[in-house]
Amino acid sequence: YLGLIVCLIFLTFSIFNTENYLDMKRSYYGIPFITIISSLSLILLIKMISLKISKFYKISQILIKIGKSSLVIMYLHQPIQILIQTKVTTNLTIRFLFSLLISYLIYLLLSQYIITRALFLGSNKDFKFLKNKYL
């Protein structure tokens, strides 16, 4: 509980203090010691939430499937959500949900075939199979 209290204190501090952030791209490292401690405490908070979620089987199975497809989702979500923003809606929640769903469906499609698993998902087993079969 002590860790949770510390996390909540630093989370509250981060919300109300706009200087408490880290931007390595622009070489801004926040408030010395405070920013790194608040970052670590937020990581601890995420870990604690994750452990609680993992006890719920249905939710954890959904998150495991999304985690397995995370590389495809990270690669595709941005162009998809931009397309949705320009053609369908500017609503952030709808854009998020649809870009996640469409990216996940593309992952499922790519995972159905040996050649797409080898070329787009980095499946070493499938690549070796194709190499042995065709080369």
Side-chain angles (χ1 to χ4, degrees), residues 94-107:
I94 292 172
R95 285 185 1 227
F96 168 76
L97 291 174
F98 276 103
S99 64
L100 177 67
L101 180 65
I102 293 167
S103 299
Y104 182 70
L105 292 173
I106 291 171
Y107 166 78

Side-chain angles (χ1 to χ4, degrees), residues 27-97:
S27 299
Y28 181 76
Y29 301 103
I31 304 166
F33 301 107
I34 300 294
T35 301
I36 192 72
I37 292 170
S38 63
S39 299
L40 292 172
S41 66
L42 290 174
I43 290 169
L44 180 62
L45 180 64
I46 290 169
K47 180 182 177 191
M48 291 174 6
I49 291 169
S50 299
L51 289 172
K52 294 290 183 191
I53 289 173
S54 70
K55 293 180 180 169
F56 297 97
Y57 181 77
K58 295 274 187 187
I59 296 172
S60 65
Q61 290 305 308
I62 292 169
L63 293 175
I64 286 170
K65 289 178 181 181
I66 291 173
K68 286 181 181 179
S69 62
S70 63
L71 188 62
V72 173
I73 291 171
M74 283 192 298
Y75 184 76
L76 294 176
H77 85 280
Q78 191 65 14
I80 292 171
Q81 75 91 14
I82 289 171
L83 183 66
I84 292 170
Q85 180 181 10
T86 58
K87 302 289 184 191
V88 181
T89 182
T90 57
N91 184 301
L92 186 60
T93 305
I94 292 172
R95 285 185 1 227
F96 168 76
L97 291 174

Side-chain angles (χ1 to χ4, degrees), residues 15-36:
I15 290 170
F16 292 111
N17 187 337
T18 57
E19 302 290 319
N20 191 24
Y21 70 95
L22 182 70
D23 186 353
M24 293 174 66
K25 184 176 182 180
R26 292 177 181 80
S27 299
Y28 181 76
Y29 301 103
I31 304 166
F33 301 107
I34 300 294
T35 301
I36 192 72

